[in-house]
């Protein structure tokens, strides 16, 4: 079983020691996958060793995310400054008799996570000597973010007819429709961003929530307290407090703001329902359920997203499953491995492990997505936006309705 050495003072030394331990452990496991066969060993101990390594890889990924301010929404518990707020990710105990699939699924996940680690290493030029064949072969020289990029983004969120981006300096800029002030972001520094129908919410670096824009249902009246995640939709918003409680507010005709008890690591507000991932990685949904959008399947998930009357989840094996309304083909998620996903009103998009984006549903397919490699994607009502590996933002889809310009990303 892999043992990560204790960290001495200084994050650089700590990271280097963790890298060394991870790479040493991977040497024996990755070869199983690339040798073309399923791992022969099927003992509980073999499974536990892999689970330990997967957990340690995820902890290292979270360290990168917080340190460099990228994909911070994927960090369970959030970031405190440039550090992971919670302790290291811990593997769950395995029960039952292992099968060949139990081994092969874990081996593939190990490879996928190491691939993402290498992407971060090349993107931020840290411990690049650990990347097989070097960074030029991993991402290509044109894929690295320029050191002097005047408009570097770490996240983007697509709303109804407006979009907002979180820049590397932690400021927010919005563009598109501004009838209710939803495209005029407040000053300050932020860590999490979510654009809704005609409003936007974000979490400041002090972990408080601020919302702006249309406030007919009081959606902008965010609760007090400290939060690690926030999601806003048409008529209600939800967040995760620092004690991992789910909190939703305003407009509640279908119970979409009646958050269940328990601890959560992720949350999303759909149009008239809400969903969250509990600490045991199962999904809970509440609110309107006329199309089955609040009936999640059993299993373990690493991401969840909700649209108007449907929901999609990213399973532990990195495949996508959707449930609810299929009126626009939004349940027809493509096959393959993904690292994140986002549901709009009637279409959804996901980032694959090779950093390309696939979209499905109402009038959207892969042909709509601009070419390139991406670190994240956000789907709105009739447009989507993504952050490329060079930390630029591109948007695509409907940009003609009253010429609001929700897909016109501003310059420096």
């Amino acid at each position: 079983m892999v043992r990560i050495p204790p960290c001495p003072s200084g994050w650089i030394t700590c990271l280097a020691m963790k890298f060394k331990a991870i790479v040493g452990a991977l040497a024996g496991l990755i070869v199983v996958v690339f040798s073309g066969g399923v791992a022969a060993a099927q003992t509980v101990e073999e499974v536990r060793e892999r689970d330990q390594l997967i957990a340690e890889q995820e902890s290292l990924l979270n360290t990168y995310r917080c340190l460099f301010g990228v994909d911070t929404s994927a960090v369970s518990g959030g970031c405190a400054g440039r550090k992971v707020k919670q302790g290291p990710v811990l593997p769950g105990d395995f029960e039952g008799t292992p099968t060949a699939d139990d081994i092969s699924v874990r081996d593939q996940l190990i490879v996928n996570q190491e691939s993402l680690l290498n992407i971060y290493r090349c993107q931020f030029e840290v411990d690049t000597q650990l990347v097989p064949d070097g960074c030029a072969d991993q991402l290509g020289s044109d894929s690295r973010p320029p050191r002097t990029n005047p408009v570097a983004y770490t996240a983007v969120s697509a709303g109804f007819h407006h979009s907002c981006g979180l820049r590397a300096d932690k400021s927010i800029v919005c563009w598109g429709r501004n009838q209710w002030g939803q495209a005029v972001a407040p000053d300050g520094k932020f860590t999490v961003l979510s654009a809704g129908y005609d409003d936007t919410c974000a979490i400041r670096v002090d972990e408080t929530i601020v919302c702006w824009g249309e406030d007919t249902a009081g959606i902008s009246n965010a609760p007090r307290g400290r939060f690690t995640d926030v999601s806003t939709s048409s008529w209600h918003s939800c967040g995760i407090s620092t004690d991992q409680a789910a909190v939703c507010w305003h407009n509640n005709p279908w119970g979409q703001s009646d958050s269940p008890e328990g601890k959560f690591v992720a949350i999303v507000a759909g149009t008239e329902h809400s969903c969250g991932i509990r600490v045991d990685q199962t999904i809970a949904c509440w609110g309107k359920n006329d199309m089955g959008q609040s009936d999640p399947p059993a299993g373990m998930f690493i991401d969840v997203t909700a649209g108007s009357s449907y929901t999609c989840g990213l399973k532990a094996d990195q495949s996508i499953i959707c449930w609810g309304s299929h009126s626009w083909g939004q349940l027809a998620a493509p096959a393959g491995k993904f690292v994140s996903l986002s549901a709009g009103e009637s279409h959804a998009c996901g980032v694959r492990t090779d950093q390309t984006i696939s979209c499905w549903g109402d009038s959207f397919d892969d042909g709509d997505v601009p070419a390139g490699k991406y670190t994240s994607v956000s789907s709105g009502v009739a447009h989507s936006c993504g952050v490329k590996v060079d930390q630029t933002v591109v948007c695509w889809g409907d940009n003609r309705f009253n010429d609001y310009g929700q897909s016109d990303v501003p310059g420096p």
Side-chain angles (χ1 to χ4, degrees):
M1 185 172 292
V2 181
R3 300 295 181 190
I4 295 296
C7 291
S9 60
W11 65 267
I12 296 179
T13 305
C14 179
L15 283 179
M17 294 180 70
K18 287 186 176 182
F19 293 156
K20 183 177 180 179
I22 289 288
V23 172
L26 282 169
L29 291 179
I30 292 180
V31 68
V32 176
V33 177
F34 288 107
S35 64
V38 174
Q42 297 174 32
T43 66
V44 171
E45 185 61 26
E46 292 284 339
V47 172
R48 287 175 176 168
E49 286 182 353
R50 285 162 169 80
D51 285 345
Q52 177 75 16
L53 180 53
I54 289 168
E56 288 161 352
Q57 282 182 312
E58 183 66 20
S59 290
L60 190 52
L61 284 168
N62 288 341
T63 299
Y64 273 131
R65 290 161 177 157
C66 291
L67 182 62
F68 299 113
V70 61
D71 298 327
T72 54
S73 60
V75 181
S76 298
C79 304
R82 303 197 337 166
K83 296 182 179 179
V84 181
K85 182 178 298 182
Q86 295 184 353
V89 178
L90 300 177
D93 197 17
F94 183 86
E95 297 181 358
T97 302
T99 66
D101 285 341
D102 290 327
I103 298 293
S104 60
V105 166
R106 284 166 170 79
D107 284 343
Q108 186 60 59
L109 180 56
I110 289 169
V111 173
N112 292 340
Q113 287 186 320
E114 178 65 10
S115 175
L116 185 55
L117 280 169
N118 287 335
I119 288 169
Y120 287 156
R121 288 162 179 158
C122 289
Q123 184 173 348
F124 299 108
E125 297 182 349
V126 58
D127 284 283
T128 54
Q129 73 276 9
L130 299 178
V131 180
D133 300 323
C135 288
D137 293 333
Q138 176 73 12
L139 290 176
S141 58
D142 294 335
S143 298
R144 298 185 186 180
R147 291 184 178 274
T148 59
N149 187 349
V151 189
Y153 290 85
T154 59
V156 67
S157 186
F160 181 26
H161 288 135
H162 78 291
S163 307
C164 295
L166 179 63
R167 287 180 166 170
D169 64 2
K170 299 189 184 300
S171 65
I172 290 176
V173 61
C174 300
W175 57 95
R177 188 182 186 187
N178 193 40
Q179 180 180 359
W180 303 100
Q182 65 268 40
V184 180
D187 293 332
K189 294 184 179 296
F190 300 84
T191 59
V192 181
L193 169 69
S194 179
Y197 193 83
D198 280 329
D199 65 292
T200 311
C201 292
I203 298 180
R204 294 185 182 274
V205 291
D206 65 1
E207 299 180 323
T208 59
I209 292 178
V210 60
C211 301
W212 61 95
E214 200 272 337
D215 196 33
T216 300
I219 198 169
S220 295
N221 187 20
R224 295 185 178 183
R226 298 168 61 197
F227 290 81
T228 61
D229 197 8
V230 67
S231 175
T232 187
S233 184
S234 300
W235 300 105
H236 77 294
S237 296
C238 296
I240 296 180
S241 62
T242 52
D243 62 359
Q244 295 187 290
V247 180
C248 298
W249 60 96
H250 296 293
N251 199 51
N252 195 34
W254 300 100
Q256 65 264 45
S257 293
D258 293 333
S259 311
E261 296 182 353
K263 293 188 174 184
F264 290 80
V265 297
I267 200 165
V268 63
T271 302
E272 295 172 321
H273 74 294
S274 308
C275 295
I277 298 180
R278 296 185 181 274
V279 292
D280 64 359
Q281 290 189 274
T282 61
I283 290 179
C285 296
W286 55 97
K288 194 172 185 178
N289 195 35
D290 60 324
M291 303 297 290
Q293 63 265 43
S294 294
D295 286 332
M300 300 176 67
F301 292 81
I302 57 179
D303 198 5
V304 64
T305 185
S308 58
S309 56
Y310 73 104
T311 311
C312 294
L314 183 60
K315 301 173 70 175
D317 64 2
Q318 295 186 284
S319 64
I320 294 175
I321 183 172
C322 301
W323 57 95
S325 172
H326 189 52
S327 57
W328 298 99
Q330 60 268 49
L331 302 190
K337 302 284 187 179
F338 291 78
V339 296
S340 65
L341 74 167
S342 175
E345 184 174 73
S346 55
H347 79 283
C349 297
V351 180
R352 294 182 178 273
T353 53
D354 65 359
Q355 293 192 289
T356 61
I357 289 177
S358 287
C359 298
W360 63 97
D362 183 17
S363 301
F364 279 83
D365 56 41
D366 291 354
D368 297 308
V369 183
K373 291 183 178 291
Y374 295 79
T375 61
S376 66
V377 65
S378 177
S379 300
V381 172
H383 75 292
S384 293
C385 299
V387 179
K388 287 192 165 186
V389 295
D390 65 358
Q391 293 186 285
T392 59
V393 166
V394 294
C395 298
W396 59 95
D398 185 7
N399 193 32
R400 297 166 296 172
F401 187 76
N402 288 355
D403 194 27
Y404 287 134
Q406 63 267 32
S407 295
D408 296 332
V409 183

